[in-house]
Amino acid sequence: MDSQESRGHLPADSLTIRYRTRYFGDMIAATSLIASIAVAADHSPTKKTNISSMATFFYDGGPLMKRFLPVVLLLASASAVAQLHQYKATEIPRAGENIAQPCDYQASFPAGHRAVKAAWVTYDRGPDITRYYSDPDVLAFAKRNDVAMVLAIQCPASEPETGEKGEMDMNPKHGLGRSLFSALNTLGTESGHPELRDAKLILLGFSGTGAYFGHFVA
C-alpha cells in the first residue's frame, strides 16, 4: 500500500512543521525588509520611506504577509520620526493662567539646518490627529518646504469653560497662547533655529481647537 507521502498527503505533524517554517520565513522576510528600509532611508538624499513599495511587497506575499502590513507601516512611520532629533520644552503655568499643569511640547526639523519658514503645530487631540506629526508624507512635505514640526501635548485647564474635565481653555489669552509662543522660543533656541520664535504657524487640531485657532486670526 502506498504511504501517505506517495499519495501526496503529508502527516499532520509534517503539515504543522511546513506551516511554521513558512510563517517564520515570512517573519524573517518582513524583518529584513524593515531593516533594508531603515538603512535606505537613513542614507538616501530625501530619507523618505517608499510606503507604496512596502504595501505592494506585502500584498503580493500572500495572506500571512498581509497580516504584517499594518505593523510594518507603523514601524516605518515611527522610524521616520525617530531619525529626526526631537527637541522638548516644558512650560510652567504662570499665576492667573487657566492651566492645570505644566505644558509639554516637542519639535523636529526635517529640513535640517536650513532656516525655518513656518511651524506646523499639531495639538494632541488623539491618535487620529497626533499621527500627522510623524507621518512620512507630512515629514517629506516639511523637508521640502523648510517647515518645523511641533507637537503640543494636551494641556488641561484648571477650570475648563466647557466643564469637561481634562479639556483645555481655548482662549489663548488665558495662558495657552503664551505657553505656545514661549515654547517656540525655547525650542528654537535649543535647536539652533531662533527664527522659530517668529515663524508663521500651520495649526492642526480637532474639536475645540478650532475655536482656539480662530483667536489667532482675530
Side-chain angles (χ1 to χ4, degrees):
M1 182 179 294
D2 295 335
S3 65
Q4 286 180 313
E5 289 84 350
S6 64
R7 294 197 303 270
H9 298 289
L10 292 175
D13 289 345
S14 298
L15 289 174
T16 300
I17 293 173
R18 175 173 292 185
Y19 176 83
R20 289 179 177 174
T21 300
R22 180 181 177 185
Y23 179 85
F24 287 110
D26 286 345
M27 282 289 289
I28 293 172
T31 304
S32 299
L33 178 65
I34 295 170
S36 299
I37 289 170
V39 171
D42 188 53
H43 291 85
S44 67
T46 61
K47 290 189 178 180
K48 180 181 179 182
T49 304
N50 191 335
I51 299 298
S52 60
S53 296
M54 291 169 56
T56 300
F57 176 88
F58 279 85
Y59 268 95
D60 289 346
L64 286 175
M65 296 298 278
K66 289 180 183 178
R67 293 182 182 179
F68 303 142
L69 178 58
V71 176
V72 172
L73 292 179
L74 178 62
L75 291 175
S77 177
S79 176
V81 72
Q83 293 171 15
L84 296 170
H85 185 77
Q86 301 295 310
Y87 297 89
K88 297 183 179 182
T90 298
E91 294 297 325
I92 306 299
R94 294 181 180 177
E97 292 183 336
N98 191 16
I99 301 177
Q101 64 187 42
C103 299
D104 294 322
Y105 301 85
Q106 64 186 71
S108 66
F109 299 84
H113 297 295
R114 295 203 304 265
V116 170
K117 295 179 180 178
W120 183 321
V121 182
T122 300
Y123 269 84
D124 175 18
R125 304 289 286 179
D128 288 344
I129 293 296
T130 306
R131 69 184 179 87
Y132 288 105
Y133 177 74
S134 57
D135 182 87
D137 289 329
V138 172
L139 294 179
F141 169 86
K143 182 174 183 177
R144 290 194 305 270
N145 295 279
D146 301 329
V147 174
M149 299 299 299
V150 179
L151 179 64
I153 307 301
Q154 177 83 352
C155 198
S158 301
E159 298 179 2
E161 293 182 347
T162 61
E164 182 182 354
K165 185 178 180 180
E167 184 58 285
M168 300 189 297
D169 186 330
M170 299 304 176
N171 189 331
K173 294 181 180 180
H174 295 169
L176 212 56
R178 186 224 38 100
S179 176
L180 171 62
F181 287 106
S182 179
L184 292 176
N185 183 46
T186 300
L187 293 167
T189 300
E190 293 186 356
S191 64
H193 285 280
E195 70 278 9
L196 181 65
R197 179 186 60 184
D198 301 314
K200 297 179 180 179
L201 302 181
I202 303 171
L203 300 168
L204 178 65
F206 179 76
S207 188
T209 49
Y212 172 60
F213 300 151
H215 286 282
F216 284 88
V217 178

